[in-house]
């Protein structure tokens, strides 16, 4: 197995900088769209041979150094009792969101092996068929809570914040429940053989640093200590430059950053506590090759002092991205970091 990615996660020396792309299996790839013509997104996630097929697509096409399980952070919510739909136009919809203490009491605890056997089976198929490490993942509790409370995506997260500030005890009970289930879900992925875990905290940045440290961080810490370094953990919080001083104490092996901060500055603030992942603006892939090369080099140079660096975009690749530019970016990271 090509273990460059895992070495970088552990802060060990590598021959070149490993690279993968958040949302690397997805709608920018014609091969993915072809599979999606036959099945809807939820069916794709629940059909192991197809989920494995689309996980592998970017490995062959882009030559990235890690695979990420094809699934979604909302998949474990169905067995908890939520009616989940992925709309082509509106994204995820939860038809029975949480708004009262009674709603929370009705939620079930999951048994991942029984309730989400397709995830375990997808991992098994992948381990037999790939030669790079496999990343498993889950949403961080606060990000998952926003979907459960809002019923889908949101602009100002008013319902979430209203519950947090008006019914704090209920909100924290929900966070406990999500955390318990996330731990079980991640441990089942690790048991099935994933080599690393990423926690996606897409909406961490909507909280004040004070509220983040009080109402979100303790749950992330609980997840990280339950995993107990059995595999490296990447904690990625979007829009989190103002939270780095809090995040650095998490004891995650890798901290993911978006593009809103110079990587050299993030490394100064994180110190040698963790490796970094990131941080190219996904829109740079709409520029010409010269621009991509310049910006890749800038990040590689900026990351020189890091304990370890995994190259990635600062958020998911956009569906409109030209595939040849994504291929060029991966090649460029490899070539420039080798010399
Ligand atoms: O094919 C389609 O039309 C569905 C689009 C799609 C895809 C390809 C969704 C719906 N999810 C995914 C896959 C997915 N989601 C992966 C696969 C592995 C990969 O290649 O990276 C992962 C890791 C996720 C994680 C995820 N889902 C996050 C966290 C990361 C991020 O992008 O911020 C979030 C917030 C979601 C919710 C979600 N699922 C899908 C959409 C469109 C959204 C976002 C909606 C919103 O903005 O609130």
């Amino acid at each position: 197995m090509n273990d460059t990615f895992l070495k970088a996660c552990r802060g060990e020396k590598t021959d070149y900088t490993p690279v993968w792309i958040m949302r690397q299996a997805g709608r920018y790839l014609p091969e993915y769209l072809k599979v999606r013509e036959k099945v809807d997104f939820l069916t794709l996630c629940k059909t192991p041979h197809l989920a494995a097929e689309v996980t592998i697509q970017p490995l062959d096409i882009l030559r990235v150094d890690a695979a990420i399980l094809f699934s979604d952070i909302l998949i474990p919510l169905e067995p908890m009792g939520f009616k989940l739909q992925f709309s082509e136009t509106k994204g995820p919809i939860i038809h029975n969101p949480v708004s009262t203490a009674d709603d929370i009491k009705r939620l079930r605890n999951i048994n991942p092996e029984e309730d989400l056997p397709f995830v375990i089976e997808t991992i098994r198929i992948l381990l037999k068929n790939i030669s790079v490490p496999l990343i498993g993942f889950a949403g961080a509790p606060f990000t998952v809570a926003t979907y459960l409370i809002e019923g889908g995506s949101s602009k100002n997260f008013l319902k979430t914040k209203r519950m947090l500030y008006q019914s704090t005890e209920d909100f924290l009970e929900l966070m406990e429940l999500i955390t318990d289930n996330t731990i079980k879900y991640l441990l089942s992925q690790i048991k099935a053989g994933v080599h690393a875990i990423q926690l996606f905290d897409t909406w961490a940045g909507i909280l004040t640093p004070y509220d983040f440290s009080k109402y979100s961080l303790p749950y992330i810490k609980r997840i990280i200590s339950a995993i107990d370094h059995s595999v490296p953990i990447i904690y990625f919080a979007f829009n989190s430059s103002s939270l780095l001083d809090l995040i650095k104490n998490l004891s995650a092996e890798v901290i993911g950053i978006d593009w809103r901060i110079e990587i050299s500055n993030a490394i100064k603030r994180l110190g040698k506590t963790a490796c970094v992942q990131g941080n190219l603006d996904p829109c740079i892939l709409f520029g010409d090759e010269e621009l991509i090369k310049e910006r890749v080099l800038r990040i590689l140079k900026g990351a020189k002092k890091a304990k370890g660096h995994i190259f990635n975009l600062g958020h998911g690749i956009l569906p409109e991205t030209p595939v040849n530019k994504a291929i060029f970016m991966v090649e460029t990271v490899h070539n420039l970091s080798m010399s």
Side-chain angles (χ1 to χ4, degrees):
M1 183 171 71
N2 166 2
D3 66 348
T4 308
F5 163 80
L6 288 175
K7 279 186 173 163
C9 288
R10 294 190 294 253
E12 292 168 16
K13 209 176 150 2
T14 57
D15 297 336
Y16 60 88
T17 302
V19 48
W20 68 279
I21 298 180
M22 287 190 273
R23 296 280 183 98
Q24 64 191 16
R27 288 172 295 179
Y28 72 106
L29 284 178
E31 292 82 352
Y32 172 84
L33 291 173
K34 200 142 191 242
V35 177
R36 282 281 278 103
E37 273 170 19
K38 290 181 280 182
V39 288
D40 62 38
F41 177 69
L42 210 45
T43 309
L44 175 52
C45 292
K46 292 179 182 178
T47 311
H49 77 275
L50 292 179
E53 181 184 331
V54 299
T55 303
I56 292 170
Q57 284 173 352
L59 308 184
D60 297 336
I61 298 165
L62 306 181
R63 322 291 295 162
V64 281
D65 298 288
I68 180 159
L69 173 74
F70 189 83
S71 185
D72 194 87
I73 59 167
L74 304 180
I75 291 293
L77 304 181
E78 266 190 335
M80 285 175 72
F82 291 99
K83 294 193 185 76
L84 179 62
Q85 185 200 339
F86 284 91
S87 145
E88 297 292 329
T89 49
K90 292 191 208 139
I93 302 172
I94 286 161
H95 291 284
N96 52 346
V98 165
S99 57
T100 64
D102 280 347
D103 293 338
I104 298 170
K105 294 225 159 44
R106 273 198 295 272
L107 298 179
R108 274 190 60 227
N109 277 312
I110 63 166
N111 174 343
E113 274 84 6
E114 270 174 30
D115 294 326
L116 303 159
F118 48 87
V119 172
I120 310 299
E121 183 55 24
T122 305
I123 294 171
R124 291 217 176 97
I125 298 174
L126 283 168
L127 292 178
K128 280 189 230 142
N129 288 286
I130 60 177
S131 54
V132 291
L134 177 62
I135 304 169
F137 69 88
F142 180 76
T143 288
V144 173
T146 67
Y147 286 96
L148 297 187
I149 299 167
E150 304 290 333
S153 305
S154 174
K155 272 215 173 86
N156 54 18
F157 299 91
L158 179 58
K159 289 178 186 156
T160 306
K161 290 191 175 179
R162 202 153 45 194
M163 189 190 281
L164 170 59
Y165 298 129
Q166 288 183 355
S167 317
T168 310
E169 273 184 29
D170 294 341
F171 180 84
L172 295 182
E173 196 182 326
L174 180 64
M175 289 289 283
E176 288 288 345
L177 201 98
I178 297 169
T179 304
D180 290 342
N181 285 293
T182 304
I183 289 171
K184 282 201 260 180
Y185 184 45
L186 288 174
L187 289 177
S188 76
Q189 293 182 39
I190 294 169
K191 195 171 156 208
V194 300
H195 302 98
I197 288 290
Q198 176 151 319
L199 267 180
F200 283 95
D201 207 352
T202 308
W203 305 123
I206 67 159
L207 289 172
T208 66
Y210 177 69
D211 288 321
F212 175 74
S213 72
K214 204 164 164 195
Y215 299 121
S216 176
L217 207 58
Y219 302 91
I220 302 161
K221 276 195 179 142
R222 189 143 81 74
I223 294 172
I224 293 177
S225 70
I227 288 175
D228 197 21
H229 310 284
S230 51
V231 297
I233 297 185
I234 307 165
Y235 173 71
F236 168 71
F238 185 55
N239 217 340
S240 65
S241 309
S242 63
L243 306 174
L244 278 187
D245 303 312
L246 298 165
I247 290 171
K248 89 178 204 191
N249 296 320
L250 272 176
S251 85
E253 277 74 11
V254 184
I255 304 293
I257 53 171
D258 68 18
W259 62 89
R260 293 175 177 86
I261 183 167
E262 284 288 333
I263 198 162
S264 53
N265 185 9
I267 291 163
K268 261 189 220 139
R269 285 169 59 191
L270 292 169
K272 292 282 175 190
T273 52
C275 304
V276 281
Q277 178 175 278
N279 72 335
L280 190 75
D281 181 341
C283 292
I284 294 293
L285 298 183
F286 295 85
D288 61 17
E289 293 193 348
E290 210 168 311
L291 179 85
I292 296 170
K293 203 166 161 185
E294 180 207 334
R295 299 307 178 96
V296 165
L297 190 60
R298 185 179 169 77
I299 291 171
L300 290 174
K301 278 189 178 158
K304 278 247 154 53
K305 290 203 176 121
K307 181 181 176 190
H309 177 215
I310 295 153
F311 202 100
N312 206 317
L313 302 181
H315 202 183
I317 189 167
L318 296 166
E320 298 83 358
T321 307
V323 182
N324 62 334
K325 296 290 176 55
I327 296 171
F328 179 77
M329 183 209 81
V330 173
E331 253 172 37
T332 305
V333 172
H334 285 157
N335 291 339
L336 293 181
S337 63
M338 239 179 269
S339 49

